[in-house]
Amino acid sequence: MDTAACYLEPTWNAGRDFAQREIAGELVMLNLLRFRAIADYSQSPELAPPRPIAGAAAYDRYVAHTLPHLRKSGGDILFRGEGRPFLIGPEGERWDRAMLIRQKSRGAFLAFAVAEAYLAGIGHRTAALADSRLLPRVELPR
């Protein structure tokens, strides 16, 4: 598996394109997460625990910090599960966790993502992740 490219934040173009998408109503974000063996708090030393912790534990701290802000913005976690090898997919590709996050609207998500109270804990996410994917999805009409 190629480890040269890691994706932890949206590119400017991806962020602009998402902000300009016309999305009516709810959306669901598919999150695929790969954790560091040991969390790296070098970018947010003020959030670092007294002793080193695993990336998964740092991500759990991020979720604990984020969930009240997510819910206040109209969103919630629909599913959070442990990763396992693909049934269909590349043998060498692995994700430690998958999550589905519901948000009431594109605008609510964008406001949530830049809220100061939420951003105060984002260092846990940065410390936790070795790689990630975030795929916004809109439900098809029935």
Side-chain angles (χ1 to χ4, degrees), residues 61-139:
R61 288 174 180 228
Y62 166 73
V63 170
H65 169 83
T66 299
L67 197 51
H69 305 292
L70 178 64
R71 287 179 173 153
K72 183 178 177 186
S73 75
D76 208 349
I77 296 175
L78 297 177
F79 174 83
R80 185 167 73 151
E82 180 182 307
R84 293 289 183 185
F86 282 107
L87 179 59
I88 299 174
E91 282 186 31
E93 187 175 329
R94 74 165 178 78
W95 297 100
D96 298 315
R97 192 174 293 169
M99 297 174 59
L100 294 173
I101 308 297
R102 179 191 50 77
Q103 187 51 268
K104 70 179 180 178
S105 69
R106 178 188 51 81
F109 174 77
L110 291 170
F112 158 78
V114 297
E116 192 174 320
Y118 159 69
L119 292 173
I122 201 161
H124 292 298
R125 180 184 184 278
T126 304
L129 293 177
D131 200 2
S132 67
R133 302 292 185 272
L134 182 60
L135 184 61
R137 302 288 81 194
V138 177
E139 188 172 2

Side-chain angles (χ1 to χ4, degrees), residues 18-82:
F18 176 75
Q20 292 176 350
R21 269 180 74 187
E22 292 190 26
I23 299 172
E26 289 189 350
L27 62 150
V28 173
M29 302 284 202
L30 168 63
N31 291 255
L32 298 176
L33 309 165
R34 184 172 310 119
F35 300 123
R36 299 174 192 270
I38 301 297
D40 176 5
Y41 278 95
S42 60
Q43 293 184 40
S44 301
E46 72 284 0
L47 296 176
R51 289 186 292 277
I53 61 174
Y59 199 83
D60 290 341
R61 288 174 180 228
Y62 166 73
V63 170
H65 169 83
T66 299
L67 197 51
H69 305 292
L70 178 64
R71 287 179 173 153
K72 183 178 177 186
S73 75
D76 208 349
I77 296 175
L78 297 177
F79 174 83
R80 185 167 73 151
E82 180 182 307

